[in-house]
Amino acid sequence: LTGGAVRLQSKRDDERNLVQEARAAGYEVLFDRNALANTKGGKLLGLFAHSGMMDGFRTTRTQKDPARTEPTLAEMTTTALKTLSRDTDGFFLMVEGGQIDWAGHNNDAGQLLHEMIKFDDAVRVVMEWARDRDDTLVIVTADHETGGFGFSYSGFAIPAPRPLPGDAFKDRPYAPNYNYGPLSVLGMLYNQKKTLYEIIQEHGKGDDRSPEALVKLIRDNTGFTISTEGARAVLASEPNPNRIEGHPYLHVETMRRACPGGR
Ligand SMILES: [Zn+2]
């Protein structure tokens, strides 16, 4: 059905096939990047992954790879604009950079950076489309803020105000409220190869599950190093205080030890 691009597996209790039903209702169902690029528009249903789509690392890495079958957020946005803008009544389009939140939940700064790049690409497509129009409102916002996470400090070593060119700073100097730190840190984050979630999964499945093995995985896959002591703290577990027998996930007997405050 999908030409091998997407693994389809129904979780339904009945025999309904919603893909066939969509087709019967006049939708063109698309499963890969080529089909999306070649569509003539109309009613479209794009299903490009069994579950979550490519993370930001893979999106960045495969940006120019002709073998990539999943479209990027920017590519989906391009087709959506092309298709919807034919409607003479106008249109509403919602585009979500959904995995920014996932990276926030995992406190994964490298992934957060690559997810923001992925999202920024989609915003660029929209801004280019809207640039010469006077009938389009573009709103870029966040739905919720996850984990109190940021690339900046708000109460520490705030840089001194300085003059900047341009109208906005004609009468007052640019006075940042945050310290964003050296740009080289962003470079180190950019060089991360996979998500921290994948790294910790890989460690858990490996033959060597020692703290030293985690130190090596972090060193091989990110621009950062952690100490053996740090790895031991990450791997430490404690009895699950919220355990519920038979619960789909609260049944686990142990969980990672909560990070002691201030460390
Ligand atoms: Zn969330």
Side-chain angles (χ1 to χ4, degrees):
L1 187 65
T2 74
V6 181
R7 181 167 65 91
L8 281 188
Q9 189 181 23
S10 178
K11 288 184 176 173
R12 299 190 62 84
D13 296 327
D14 55 33
E15 294 299 311
R16 285 179 64 187
N17 181 334
L18 296 189
V19 173
Q20 270 163 14
E21 286 184 31
R23 279 185 176 145
Y27 281 84
E28 184 186 352
V29 188
L30 312 164
F31 293 110
D32 63 34
R33 179 191 181 195
N34 273 342
L36 181 73
N38 295 326
T39 180
K40 298 198 169 53
K43 293 203 283 186
L44 306 177
L45 173 61
L47 303 169
F48 302 113
H50 174 68
S51 180
M53 290 184 69
M54 292 190 296
D55 63 41
F57 298 114
R58 275 180 63 206
T59 303
T60 302
R61 226 175 19 237
T62 61
Q63 195 66 246
K64 303 221 154 60
D65 183 352
R68 172 168 56 81
T69 57
E70 261 186 50
T72 63
L73 196 60
E75 288 166 351
M76 291 190 286
T77 304
T78 300
T79 302
L81 285 171
K82 208 160 65 187
T83 305
L84 292 171
S85 60
R86 289 195 202 119
D87 193 320
T88 48
D89 296 334
F91 65 91
F92 172 85
L93 170 65
M94 202 282 288
V95 176
E96 183 184 14
Q99 295 186 30
I100 295 170
D101 171 71
W102 299 8
H105 275 279
N106 287 336
N107 285 345
D108 190 333
Q111 187 188 4
L112 199 50
L113 177 61
H114 283 271
E115 296 303 338
M116 291 298 288
I117 291 170
K118 186 205 281 183
F119 183 66
D120 190 56
D121 255 355
V123 172
R124 177 182 48 75
V125 167
V126 174
M127 296 312 284
E128 278 170 10
W129 185 87
R131 187 166 32 205
D132 297 323
R133 308 184 66 100
D134 59 5
D135 60 355
T136 303
L137 174 66
V138 179
I139 299 173
V140 181
T141 186
D143 59 351
H144 69 288
E145 184 272 4
T146 307
F149 196 75
F151 287 122
S152 58
Y153 289 106
S154 59
F156 170 73
I158 307 291
R162 63 190 166 98
L164 278 187
D167 285 349
F169 299 102
K170 210 165 50 188
D171 302 322
R172 64 197 165 90
Y174 167 62
N177 289 320
Y178 298 95
N179 172 8
Y180 293 96
L183 277 175
S184 59
V185 175
L186 277 182
M188 288 160 76
L189 290 169
Y190 186 86
N191 288 333
Q192 188 173 320
K193 296 194 181 93
K194 46 177 96 158
T195 64
L196 297 182
Y197 180 79
E198 275 178 283
I199 293 171
I200 208 84
Q201 293 285 102
E202 201 173 311
H203 179 268
K205 285 183 197 143
D207 296 331
D208 181 0
R209 295 181 203 166
S210 66
E212 288 78 10
L214 184 62
V215 169
K216 183 174 183 316
L217 274 173
I218 296 281
R219 196 178 47 226
D220 290 348
N221 290 294
T222 76
F224 298 88
T225 50
I226 59 170
S227 64
T228 312
E229 208 38 57
R232 199 167 282 129
V234 170
L235 295 170
S237 62
E238 62 187 2
N240 175 7
N242 303 307
R243 182 162 192 271
I244 298 173
E245 185 86 48
H247 189 278
Y249 49 86
L250 287 177
H251 72 278
V252 294
E253 279 174 25
T254 59
M255 53 184 277
R256 297 240 187 259
R257 192 162 67 208
C259 186
R263 266 208 257 161

